[in-house]
Amino acid sequence: MRLRNVAIIAHVDHGKTTLVDQLFRQSGTYRDNQRIEERAMDSNDLEKERGITILAKCTSVEWTSPADGETTRINIVDTPGHADFGGEVERILSMVDGVILLVDSSEGAMPQTKFVTGKALALGLKPIVVVNKIDRPDERTQEVLDEVFDLFVSLDATDEQLDFPVLFASGRNGYAGADPAAREGTLAPLFDKIVAHVPPPSADPDGPFKFLVTLLDRDNFLGRILTGLVFSGSVRTNMPIVALSPEGAVVETGRASKILAFRGLERVPVDEANAGDIISIAGLTAATVANTIADPAVTEPLHAQPIDPPTLSMRFAVNDSPMAGREGTKVTSRMIRDRLFREAESNVAIKVTEAADRDSYEVAGRGELQLGVLIETMRREGFELGISRPRVLFGEDDAGKRTEPYETVIIDVDDEYSGTVVEKMNIRKAEMTDMRPSTGGKTRITFSAPARGMIGYHGEFLSDTRGTGIMNRLFERYGPFKGTIEGRKNGVLISNGAGEANSYALGPLEERGILFVTHGEVLYEGMIVGENAKPDDLEVNPMKTKALTNFRASGGKDDQVRLTPPKRATLEQAIAYIDDDEMVEVTPKSIRLRKRHLDPNERKRASRSREAA
């Protein structure tokens, strides 16, 4: 059977996972009466809720060409569309021989498209460009195609890569073809183009067995499951194997107790796998991502793709609030430590270091979204955590001067709000690099901005644009340090005691700012209950009740306090909102904001020491 290994690249929400659904349907992977969910490849709960791909996943379909009657097995890798999960992307591109670049017929090539495509072109992979959603009323197919060509040129594509085939498709409706005006058909042209344009794997079938681990998974029965590409030779069940580190040191020896191949959405046990196939191996206990699994006679490891360094870090601490242990089941530092190091093992883009106090851990990653997904996953597993404000990781240039990470920020905004956005970005030390009219009365503005200045801006951006603006960010480079950047302008309202919030006390506090809590919520000293309208922090008493007297107004009118619904923050919004002296308390049921030091006297001492420093 012929074999093709291909990855699908697309920006968030450009229809990649929906297209894979249709490839399954039209290749006969599903039975006619089989009940399947939409976006079958997004199997993770968080992926379903957010509508994005977080984990890279492998699958395969079999396509019998009507022209020659030959069957081809096409291994498809679904790549994450967000740059924060780029650690996944860089590794899995080494498993494939070609890429399908999917672009929206209206939005065109976006930052995340640029990020992954740059990695693919640098590896020498040949792209097939698919302009998706051509049935959109605001499609601009030809302009988008020109943008893709310009993108390839800017990414130093070779002449061969610039001579890419183009298909026009609607993934939701299941058709593709060379005619941009067509509105019906099947995906047969896409299958045929993959078979014709993507080269077969360049693996060596006669050499000794070599396999590079690119993904790590766990199974309750099989233990570690290592997924990757067989670069040479073949492997059989129970064959002796050795795991080599990227430097060539022996990590462990063992046997391939189980070999699993991808057949549709499932992993199926097979007795043997050959060069060029993407498989999973079980049986080893210490081997991890970037290790080479090989025949015991092999001493030279395969080259693993280097991973871009983390740019952002957060402190994960044991929850030490007065309400610790009430809502979660995993609250000790040992449990948090084991979970974080397990995550760092399978996700090479995350680095974990233990703090001196042994009760907290510095977790470095690619961006707020990546770390936010990790926190949300741990929260659902029953963990309680205290999370600090994100901070960027600084570097040094050759002259010893301080450098910081910069991001390319592309903003699509209604024309009337463009002035406000430019003003706010200037405050954050961003430099505008491009501004052009977009479709539908919108303007597309491109900035080069310090990543430090973008922390916490997204919520303010949505308020400024009345929820109509779209912002996309992408790591650009390390550049010169930009100096002090203005942070949050407003102070916070801090509870001065413990107890239940009372509407009698909350009513007057609404005049002071925006409340985060409502009547009946349990509070503790040092907990943040709202945002102050002024720049200073203010300690308040949200638990005060009305003194009892013998006098009452008729009908109880004096007890009727109408409160505005409190402002509730999502996890990412809460992390972006807090200041350096504040934390987010994360439990399976609640997200609370608090001061790092709950005691007011400790807060004053810490503030004085910061000012002295």
Side-chain angles (χ1 to χ4, degrees):
M1 188 183 290
R2 291 184 301 198
L3 192 61
R4 297 289 185 272
N5 297 328
V6 66
I8 300 188
I9 295 172
H11 184 73
V12 177
D13 203 32
H14 277 201
K16 166 169 48 71
T17 312
T18 306
L19 180 71
V20 174
D21 278 359
Q22 288 289 352
L23 291 174
F24 283 146
R25 290 178 200 279
Q26 297 190 23
S27 64
T29 303
Y30 297 143
R31 298 189 313 273
D32 290 341
N33 64 344
Q34 187 172 345
R35 183 184 173 279
I36 47 157
E37 294 184 34
E38 272 194 27
R39 304 198 317 274
M41 289 290 278
D42 284 350
S43 51
N44 181 307
D45 283 346
L46 279 174
E47 291 179 320
K48 283 187 168 68
E49 288 170 24
R50 293 168 185 242
I52 60 173
T53 301
I54 294 170
L55 303 170
K57 294 178 232 27
C58 304
T59 185
S60 78
V61 297
E62 290 183 8
W63 172 250
T64 303
S65 172
D68 56 14
E70 265 199 76
T71 301
T72 306
R73 175 173 297 123
I74 303 171
N75 287 321
I76 300 172
V77 182
D78 190 13
T79 64
H82 201 286
D84 278 17
F85 308 110
E88 298 270 330
V89 173
E90 290 163 42
R91 299 197 310 273
I92 56 103
L93 286 176
S94 63
M95 295 197 294
V96 299
D97 305 289
V99 292
I100 297 170
L101 173 61
L102 201 69
V103 289
D104 188 294
S105 66
S106 174
E107 293 183 10
M110 299 294 277
Q112 269 75 34
T113 317
K114 179 181 176 182
F115 169 78
V116 189
T117 307
K119 299 287 182 188
L121 294 178
L123 289 170
L125 300 176
K126 293 165 68 177
I128 298 170
V129 174
V130 178
V131 181
N132 195 28
K133 304 187 185 181
I134 58 171
D135 51 347
R136 281 183 66 152
D138 57 347
E139 60 87 19
R140 46 185 194 95
T141 308
Q142 210 52 51
E143 291 171 50
V144 166
L145 211 49
D146 293 341
E147 287 176 16
V148 171
F149 188 84
D150 292 344
L151 172 66
F152 280 23
V153 172
S154 70
L155 294 172
D156 299 326
T158 63
D159 290 344
E160 191 182 13
Q161 288 171 328
L162 286 172
D163 189 22
F164 52 82
V166 180
L167 291 172
F168 304 94
S170 170
R172 181 175 291 280
N173 296 314
Y175 60 81
D179 180 9
R183 292 293 180 268
E184 59 180 19
T186 68
L187 292 174
L190 177 56
F191 282 114
D192 290 336
K193 192 63 73 178
I194 293 170
V195 174
H197 189 71
V198 176
S202 57
D204 175 15
D206 303 319
F209 170 63
K210 283 188 182 180
F211 168 91
L212 183 65
V213 182
T214 49
L215 297 172
L216 173 64
D217 199 2
R218 272 186 168 74
D219 185 275
N220 292 336
F221 303 102
L222 300 176
R224 281 178 179 232
I225 298 180
L226 308 165
T227 301
L229 176 72
V230 181
F231 276 81
S232 70
S234 59
V235 60
R236 293 174 303 283
T237 306
N238 286 326
M239 178 177 134
I241 50 175
V242 63
L244 304 173
S245 72
E247 294 76 37
V250 176
V251 177
E252 69 169 319
T253 56
R255 290 183 178 274
S257 62
K258 205 85 167 175
I259 301 168
L260 303 165
F262 293 92
R263 300 292 180 264
L265 286 170
E266 296 175 356
R267 275 195 288 226
V268 179
V270 293
D271 295 328
E272 186 176 5
N274 300 309
D277 210 351
I278 295 174
I279 59 163
S280 298
I281 292 178
L284 298 176
T285 57
T288 187
V289 171
N291 286 174
T292 299
I293 312 299
D295 188 278
V298 173
T299 56
E300 194 70 31
L302 293 164
H303 171 69
Q305 283 297 316
I307 304 298
D308 285 349
T311 59
L312 197 77
S313 79
M314 288 183 197
R315 187 168 151 265
F316 284 48
V318 173
N319 183 16
D320 60 355
S321 88
M323 297 175 71
R326 295 191 190 182
E327 297 175 355
T329 55
K330 299 172 182 174
V331 295
T332 64
S333 61
R334 181 185 61 80
M335 286 176 162
I336 294 170
R337 179 187 186 280
D338 292 348
R339 177 66 179 84
L340 290 175
F341 279 101
R342 199 166 73 237
E343 181 70 26
E345 195 177 354
S346 61
N347 188 345
V348 292
I350 281 181
K351 300 279 182 288
V352 180
T353 50
E354 197 165 355
D357 60 7
R358 292 193 165 271
D359 270 350
S360 65
Y361 303 88
E362 199 74 23
V363 182
R366 282 290 186 83
E368 293 159 80
L369 180 61
Q370 184 193 25
L371 296 177
V373 165
L374 171 60
I375 296 164
E376 181 64 38
T377 305
M378 291 177 67
R379 177 189 176 204
R380 294 183 183 201
E381 291 170 4
F383 283 89
E384 287 195 11
L385 302 162
I387 307 293
S388 75
R389 176 179 167 81
R391 62 179 186 84
V392 300
L393 300 174
F394 296 104
E396 274 191 5
D397 60 12
D398 297 336
K401 291 184 177 177
R402 199 182 200 187
T403 60
E404 64 176 320
Y406 281 64
E407 293 181 341
T408 299
V409 184
I410 296 182
I411 291 175
D412 284 303
V413 64
D414 290 345
D415 297 343
E416 60 189 294
Y417 304 126
S418 57
T420 308
V421 170
V422 171
E423 183 186 337
K424 291 287 179 73
M425 291 294 283
N426 283 339
I427 293 171
R428 287 168 166 72
K429 305 284 179 78
E431 293 177 11
M432 195 195 326
T433 56
D434 187 33
M435 185 174 185
R436 62 179 67 179
S438 187
T439 56
K442 287 185 177 287
T443 302
R444 177 168 289 185
I445 318 171
T446 307
F447 296 93
S448 176
R452 190 164 43 104
M454 299 309 296
I455 295 172
Y457 175 54
H458 195 256
E460 192 178 331
F461 167 75
L462 289 176
S463 299
D464 290 342
T465 61
R466 306 293 184 270
T468 60
I470 299 171
M471 179 196 297
N472 289 289
R473 294 160 52 183
L474 172 68
F475 173 74
E476 184 184 307
R477 65 194 164 94
Y478 266 83
F481 180 65
K482 282 275 192 175
T484 306
I485 295 176
E486 187 179 306
R488 192 179 72 204
K489 291 181 180 177
N490 295 54
V492 290
L493 304 176
I494 308 163
S495 173
N496 67 358
E500 283 191 7
N502 191 290
S503 56
Y504 177 77
L506 294 177
L509 287 181
E510 285 193 333
E511 299 169 14
R512 297 278 188 178
I514 301 167
L515 295 181
F516 299 159
V517 297
T518 191
H519 177 79
E521 285 191 40
V522 180
L523 311 176
Y524 53 81
E525 186 179 21
M527 183 172 158
I528 295 171
V529 296
E531 180 180 283
N532 194 3
K534 296 180 179 177
D536 303 321
D537 291 347
L538 181 68
E539 290 187 29
V540 296
N541 180 5
M543 287 86 54
K544 185 170 67 175
T545 56
K546 185 173 183 184
L548 296 176
T549 70
N550 288 330
F551 297 96
R552 285 287 179 272
S554 60
K557 287 178 184 174
D558 55 354
D559 293 333
Q560 292 179 0
V561 179
R562 294 188 182 276
L563 294 174
T564 307
K567 182 180 179 183
R568 303 290 189 190
T570 62
L571 179 61
E572 274 92 2
Q573 287 168 343
I575 291 168
Y577 178 81
I578 56 174
D579 225 328
D580 292 331
D581 64 336
E582 295 162 4
M583 296 178 72
V584 181
E585 179 189 350
V586 178
T587 73
K589 295 180 182 176
S590 310
I591 295 171
R592 303 184 188 94
L593 305 183
R594 51 163 285 193
K595 286 290 182 180
R596 177 167 297 190
H597 300 289
L598 299 178
D599 184 83
N601 297 315
E602 283 186 34
R603 282 203 296 276
K604 285 172 187 168
R605 279 196 293 269
S607 176
R608 280 197 293 269
S609 62
R610 273 200 309 274
E611 287 169 7

